Amino acid sequence: MNDELLIGVLALQGDVEENIKAATYALAEMNQKGKVISVRYPDEIMKIDGLIIPGGESTVMGLLIAIKDGLLDSINKVLQKRLPIMGTCAGMIVLAKQSYDRVVGNKKQLLLGALDIEIERNSFGRQYDSFESNLEISGIENDFRGIFIRAPSVISAGPQVQILSKFDGKIVAVQQENIIGTSFHPELSGDNRMHKLFIELISKWKKQIINNENFKK
């Protein structure tokens, strides 16, 4: 096992290419060896060092995860290994334990339950209510331009969840161990610092894996 990172973007639906581009630029800016690829099959999921679940439509994304043979099982397996994962907007919803829509109420959709959070979908309004705003984010110096498109918010979080950012009193970014979730779309901002933060998590996780394997030898 070498120190080169292989990052996968779940390519079922949503901002796949935008995340590939942002993560690729982030690797280059960090002088970190690595590659970013699209993944959609179980064998691909099992080979990566970190997974990005992109923004898109969470109900559709959950349905596709559920119906693709072996995909849900492979994602659950890498979650058990504490694989670093970042979910943006719809991706954060899919990672949550509970989710409901502020208009239609409880949504029956597949959720991975990896983040101990409850999500309110469309928390800032529908598509025409999309907006941008500067955010203070823990671990990132200077403001980050958050792009909110039919964005959710976190309305409750468990004790192991670290709140990274709030906007207008609502939680819009969280971290729980190796998992990051954002209400906004960092892949659309032209600012790669959220992806760099995620890559740092991946690098630390992989070094731990390498050290453990060397210790066993």
Side-chain angles (χ1 to χ4, degrees), residues 13-100:
Q13 187 264 349
D15 298 335
V16 177
E17 291 302 321
E18 291 86 349
N19 271 288
I20 291 175
K21 181 178 178 181
T24 299
Y25 282 151
L27 283 169
E29 290 167 5
M30 298 170 73
N31 293 316
Q32 168 66 57
K33 293 180 181 179
K35 185 177 181 181
V36 188
I37 62 171
S38 62
V39 294
R40 59 174 63 89
Y41 299 109
D43 60 327
E44 296 172 330
I45 299 290
M46 301 307 295
K47 294 176 182 176
I48 58 178
D49 302 308
L51 177 66
I52 297 173
I53 304 179
E57 214 301 311
S58 63
T59 305
V60 174
M61 202 176 299
L63 177 62
L64 293 173
I65 290 173
I67 65 175
K68 278 191 170 288
D69 189 34
L71 184 57
L72 178 58
D73 184 54
S74 65
I75 293 175
N76 283 329
K77 283 180 180 177
V78 296
L79 280 169
Q80 291 173 6
K81 292 168 57 180
R82 296 182 64 248
L83 184 87
I85 299 178
M86 181 167 73
T88 69
C89 197
M92 182 172 73
I93 295 173
V94 171
L95 286 166
K97 279 192 174 180
Q98 293 184 349
S99 168
Y100 79 95

